[in-house]
Amino acid sequence: MPELPEVETTRRKLLPLFLGKRLLGIEHQDPLRYRYTERAEGRGVEEILRRGKFLLFALSGGLEMVVHLGMTGGFRLEKTLHTRVAFHLEDQEVFFHDPRRFGRIWVVEKGDYREIPLLPRLGPEPLSDGFQFSGFWKGLKGSAKPLKALLLDQRLAAGVGNIYADEALFRARLSPFRRGRELGEAEAQRLFLALKEVLAEAVALGGSTLSDRTYQQPDGLPGSFQMRHAVYGRTGLPCPVCGTPIAKRVVAGRGTHFCPRCQGF
């Protein structure tokens, strides 16, 4: 958390706050986590894009501010106990809130991602025209990794994390422990379509706000896709399709939720 739907929702909510505004200053006390922010002073915000789980603020003069929310990061309109960064704009302030301090910010020359090596290695955006079944199928067939690990890897599809990997695998009726190369083409097609479907629904509903309320939209509203979770966070509860208790095991170091019956166990 946050994953593609939460980061995309954040991007959309930030557009009216930042777009066309000048950054008068960025205030913080952690230059190791928030890198070169002084370069942004006086720059206008020309666009806010998203790449995987990264936000990309295009700044005037050829600079780019790259933001990764980490596990608990998010933007707020008011200061909180966990405010780490204050963005001073021409007409207001916006705050970066991050209880666990895993979020990062870099201000770099546009496209210079030497300090952010994951960014240039990201796979296609799963809600874009560039996400094609042929490439997805090729990536699956070439890997002996479990499907859950493949989805988290970011090379098959950028921005997918624990929640949406579990939900997509459930909709595709595929075990998270199956190896990519074991899938037939029809099974791969199911997963390809399920991934796009789950992510599009989650974006439309503002992402998922879990019980700890770590993720909120910048205006303080929660997401609501958690109301549609079929497996994630539902250990021991009945599967919405067959009634079998949802199970949880670890794959690639991450808690993985699945239906033992619907997903082939």
Side-chain angles (χ1 to χ4, degrees), residues 122-134:
L122 291 174
E125 290 291 330
L127 296 179
S128 74
D129 292 340
F131 188 53
Q132 296 291 320
F133 177 70
S134 57

Side-chain angles (χ1 to χ4, degrees), residues 171-239:
R171 290 202 191 187
R173 305 187 307 282
L174 292 170
S175 162
F177 304 98
R178 289 273 301 277
R179 307 286 174 179
R181 66 188 181 192
E182 295 173 355
L183 263 60
E185 186 170 357
E187 292 174 312
Q189 186 73 248
R190 288 206 312 264
L191 182 56
F192 178 77
L193 295 174
L195 193 58
K196 294 200 297 181
E197 182 181 84
V198 164
L199 291 170
E201 286 181 21
V203 169
L205 292 172
S208 298
T209 296
L210 305 182
S211 57
D212 61 6
R213 296 186 67 84
T214 296
Y215 162 72
Q216 295 180 37
Q217 300 174 39
D219 51 16
L221 293 174
S224 57
F225 186 73
Q226 67 276 6
M227 305 302 293
R228 297 194 186 183
H229 289 179
V231 289
Y232 184 83
R234 301 187 70 247
T235 307
L237 296 175
C239 169

Side-chain angles (χ1 to χ4, degrees), residues 17-18 21-29 37 40-45 59 65 75-76 79 83-96:
L17 302 176
F18 280 88
K21 311 285 181 64
R22 263 194 323 133
L23 284 167
L24 302 182
I26 302 177
E27 182 183 353
H28 60 82
Q29 296 182 346
T37 56
E41 292 186 4
R43 307 279 182 166
V45 179
L59 306 180
M65 182 169 69
F75 288 83
R76 300 286 189 272
K79 275 190 175 181
T83 290
R84 308 300 178 197
V85 183
F87 295 88
H88 302 287
L89 300 164
E90 296 170 288
D91 56 352
Q92 69 180 106
E93 292 180 313
V94 180
F95 305 97
F96 185 67

Side-chain angles (χ1 to χ4, degrees), residues 64-79:
E64 193 169 35
M65 182 169 69
V66 181
V67 179
H68 193 279
L69 303 181
M71 292 179 65
T72 61
F75 288 83
R76 300 286 189 272
L77 299 181
E78 297 180 354
K79 275 190 175 181

Side-chain angles (χ1 to χ4, degrees), residues 26-119:
I26 302 177
E27 182 183 353
H28 60 82
Q29 296 182 346
D30 195 342
L32 293 179
R33 284 190 176 87
Y34 313 121
R35 307 277 286 165
Y36 319 120
T37 56
E38 67 280 359
R39 298 177 181 176
E41 292 186 4
R43 307 279 182 166
V45 179
E46 298 177 341
E47 183 58 282
I48 307 176
L49 304 173
R50 181 192 54 75
R51 186 73 177 96
K53 302 176 189 178
F54 292 88
L55 290 168
L56 308 177
F57 292 69
L59 306 180
S60 58
L63 293 183
E64 193 169 35
M65 182 169 69
V66 181
V67 179
H68 193 279
L69 303 181
M71 292 179 65
T72 61
F75 288 83
R76 300 286 189 272
L77 299 181
E78 297 180 354
K79 275 190 175 181
T80 72
L81 177 65
H82 301 295
T83 290
R84 308 300 178 197
V85 183
F87 295 88
H88 302 287
L89 300 164
E90 296 170 288
D91 56 352
Q92 69 180 106
E93 292 180 313
V94 180
F95 305 97
F96 185 67
H97 162 101
D98 189 9
R100 297 187 65 182
R101 299 177 186 263
F102 289 117
R104 297 289 303 275
I105 298 171
W106 303 261
V107 177
V108 299
E109 295 289 333
K110 184 171 181 164
D112 182 0
Y113 303 137
R114 284 173 291 179
E115 291 193 17
I116 322 167
L118 173 61
L119 190 45

